[in-house]
Amino acid sequence: MYISRIPLNTARFAAKQLISSPYRLHAAVEKSFPPSAVRSGDEGRILWRLDFSRDGDSTWLYVVSPERPDFTHIVEQAGWPTRTEWEVKDYEPLITHIAKGQEWAFRLRANPARKVYKDLGKRPNPAVVGKVMGHVTIDKQLSWLKKSSERNGFALLGSSEEEAGLSCVVSQRRKEQFAHGNSKVTLVTAQFDGQLRVTDAQAFQRCLRQGIGRAKSFGCGMLTVAPIR
């Protein structure tokens, strides 16, 4: 597995188009690999995420993939063509280093959602039953993450303490709509930043390789970790 990142030049029109359309950015990421490249398998799958700096001065595209990418076309369209630079690192040393009990800082951009089995709305709407609906409140989004963490081999630090969930910050909460063919896709997305403890090394390694939740093709589900400072 590889982890890569490339800066996007938000002053360029093509960069703005990519950032505004998860479908277009998905296509651009896919074209970073030849047709014969592994896109999804037991060893991992292609995941991507946009990271925005707090001051808005920089935007980075992060990609996790089973094979090494070539971002030349993205640089030409949405980067700095005179400096065709991006970073690619071997992800395996970190993944194989994961062990139970380790504590990490993490970032995750996800599509917190659930399938509706019963209409609980104030106004009855049978049409929602069977559909996938996004969680729109911070409490529900945090509850989704806590539930997801259990089956992905980690626990949020502080989740069993009196101030449960306060170690995780939920930001960039959005309802995104974009064209996909002749239809329109609507996603509820949120970014989670916090600290975690590994509870199941094998499950957490799989989480780093395969991602969490839905809408992985559209920039959701990629969890990354860093040492706690």
Side-chain angles (χ1 to χ4, degrees), residues 83-114:
R83 296 183 61 186
T84 56
E85 297 178 0
W86 58 82
E87 301 174 30
V88 182
K89 293 183 179 180
D90 185 356
Y91 208 18
E92 284 302 315
L94 186 148
I95 294 176
T96 55
H97 173 70
I98 294 296
K100 183 178 180 179
Q102 288 178 346
E103 295 182 353
W104 296 90
F106 75 91
R107 171 168 289 179
L108 166 70
R109 183 172 180 270
N111 168 223
R114 84 290 188 195

Side-chain angles (χ1 to χ4, degrees), residues 66-198:
E67 298 193 24
R68 194 179 187 94
D70 182 342
F71 295 130
T72 301
H73 63 296
I74 297 180
V75 172
E76 291 174 346
Q77 297 174 33
W80 285 266
T82 59
R83 296 183 61 186
T84 56
E85 297 178 0
W86 58 82
E87 301 174 30
V88 182
K89 293 183 179 180
D90 185 356
Y91 208 18
E92 284 302 315
L94 186 148
I95 294 176
T96 55
H97 173 70
I98 294 296
K100 183 178 180 179
Q102 288 178 346
E103 295 182 353
W104 296 90
F106 75 91
R107 171 168 289 179
L108 166 70
R109 183 172 180 270
N111 168 223
R114 84 290 188 195
K115 190 170 184 178
V116 179
Y117 294 100
K118 184 178 181 180
D119 178 20
L120 299 177
K122 294 181 180 180
R123 297 180 179 179
N125 182 10
V128 302
V129 177
K131 291 187 175 180
V132 175
M133 305 289 288
H135 293 296
V136 296
T137 67
I138 289 179
D139 285 346
K140 289 291 186 181
Q141 289 171 346
L142 276 173
S143 295
W144 172 88
L145 179 59
K146 290 178 184 178
K147 186 175 181 180
S148 298
S149 71
E150 296 171 2
R151 57 178 176 270
N152 282 286
F154 68 95
L156 299 178
L157 292 187
S159 61
S160 61
E161 303 297 332
E162 185 177 348
E163 296 182 346
L166 293 184
S167 63
C168 182
V169 176
V170 187
S171 64
Q172 298 185 27
R173 301 167 56 243
R174 297 176 181 142
K175 185 176 182 180
E176 302 183 42
Q177 292 185 325
F178 55 94
H180 183 197
N182 295 323
S183 60
K184 180 178 289 187
V185 176
T186 300
L187 293 179
V188 174
T189 62
Q191 179 174 297
F192 301 90
D193 290 277
Q195 298 177 354
L196 60 79
R197 178 181 296 112
V198 179

Side-chain angles (χ1 to χ4, degrees), residues 182-228:
N182 295 323
S183 60
K184 180 178 289 187
V185 176
T186 300
L187 293 179
V188 174
T189 62
Q191 179 174 297
F192 301 90
D193 290 277
Q195 298 177 354
L196 60 79
R197 178 181 296 112
V198 179
T199 57
D200 182 327
Q202 187 174 8
F204 191 62
Q205 288 172 345
R206 184 172 63 251
C207 165
L208 294 177
R209 296 176 186 274
Q210 303 285 353
I212 296 178
R214 300 174 183 270
K216 294 173 184 175
S217 294
F218 299 129
C220 296
M222 178 179 168
L223 186 146
T224 53
V225 295
I228 295 175

